[in-house]
Amino acid sequence: MDDNAITVVIIDDHEVVPVGVGVWCAQAEPPIQIIDDATRISAAWTGPGAQADVVIMDLGLQDGRQAFNDLRRLAESRRHVVVYTQDASSKTAMKCIDLGALAYVTKKEGPQHLVAAIRAAAQGLPYTPPSLSGAIAADDDPNRPKLPPREIDALRAWCGSRSKPMAARSLGISESTLETYIERARVRYASAGRPAPTKAALMARAVEDGLINLDDL
């Protein structure tokens, strides 16, 4: 086993999925290593899967329930999760991102986006494939925008810093990751009918919603 390779555990109750994903990962350059697969989420916590860089999980588990609580628990434990599912619902996609998934990839999007999502997640970076981009733009929840903690932290750091590089360093993330979080927040506000195309406008929206107070600036 290559000690520098990205390692993955797959949680999916369809036997063909780990086989297919395994082929895609083996063909990736450099290859990605599948170190375990299972139908139950426990594989992400015990055995080889407990040490995997990335957890790829479907939402439908063997007992028929959706794994939102399991996703939340993994994210709160700072595991890097990519949701890989047949569910193309925008509402489901947004819920998973809010719970802490770094990417939401539908099974119709194929190897290009799944491999890219795995590589990003291994570094703790979010990845936005077409389905997720559309979900963010189409999100019409009347309670929006309800930003997840990562986006709020990014806004606070950016609004309180002189530059994006400074803000990114203060959070211990890359500038590209910071920009992704900021752009997602901007799309949420635009979708809610409260566009914020500039830093000043986004700062004003965040202050209006109590996400930032003047002491943070």
Side-chain angles (χ1 to χ4, degrees):
M1 179 180 291
D2 183 350
D3 291 338
N4 296 318
I6 295 171
T7 57
V8 172
V9 57
I10 304 175
I11 312 298
D12 197 296
D13 60 357
H14 294 90
E15 292 183 2
V16 69
V17 171
V19 174
V21 174
V23 171
W24 295 343
C25 289
Q27 293 175 343
E29 186 57 46
I32 297 167
Q33 295 178 346
I34 308 298
I35 60 174
D36 200 5
D37 68 81
T39 60
R40 296 186 181 277
I41 200 70
S42 57
W45 299 104
T46 61
Q51 304 302 318
D53 297 317
V54 178
V55 179
I56 300 175
M57 62 177 292
D58 196 358
L59 291 174
L61 298 180
Q62 197 174 49
D63 57 11
R65 65 188 174 86
Q66 286 191 300
F68 294 125
N69 288 336
D70 299 294
L71 170 57
R72 179 189 290 110
R73 183 182 170 213
L74 286 165
E76 288 176 348
S77 297
R78 300 188 178 277
R79 299 297 298 277
H80 299 155
V81 181
V82 172
V83 173
Y84 186 53
T85 179
Q86 293 180 354
D87 189 341
S89 163
S90 295
K91 183 177 180 180
T92 304
M94 295 307 304
K95 182 170 184 176
C96 289
I97 294 302
D98 287 349
L99 290 173
L102 289 172
Y104 187 95
V105 183
T106 63
K107 289 179 178 176
K108 67 179 181 181
E109 288 179 298
Q112 175 186 357
H113 291 293
L114 182 59
V115 169
I118 292 169
R119 293 203 189 284
Q123 301 178 64
L125 306 178
Y127 178 77
T128 307
S131 62
L132 180 55
S133 179
I136 294 173
D139 186 15
D140 59 0
D141 187 324
N143 294 322
R144 293 291 178 186
K146 188 168 112 181
L147 278 60
R150 288 187 178 103
E151 291 173 20
I152 295 173
D153 289 344
L155 285 182
R156 286 174 175 165
W158 185 41
C159 291
S161 300
R162 291 193 297 272
S163 67
K164 285 182 179 176
M166 288 180 61
R169 284 196 299 271
S170 73
L171 294 175
I173 61 177
S174 69
E175 186 177 352
S176 63
T177 301
L178 179 83
E179 289 175 345
T180 298
Y181 289 142
I182 291 171
E183 185 57 29
R184 285 183 178 178
R186 203 187 300 280
V187 170
R188 292 179 200 274
Y189 273 108
S191 299
R194 300 168 64 199
T198 65
K199 180 177 182 179
L202 193 54
M203 186 185 304
R205 298 299 189 202
V207 170
E208 289 170 1
D209 292 342
L211 302 178
I212 297 173
N213 56 53
L214 296 180
D215 291 338
D216 296 323
L217 304 179

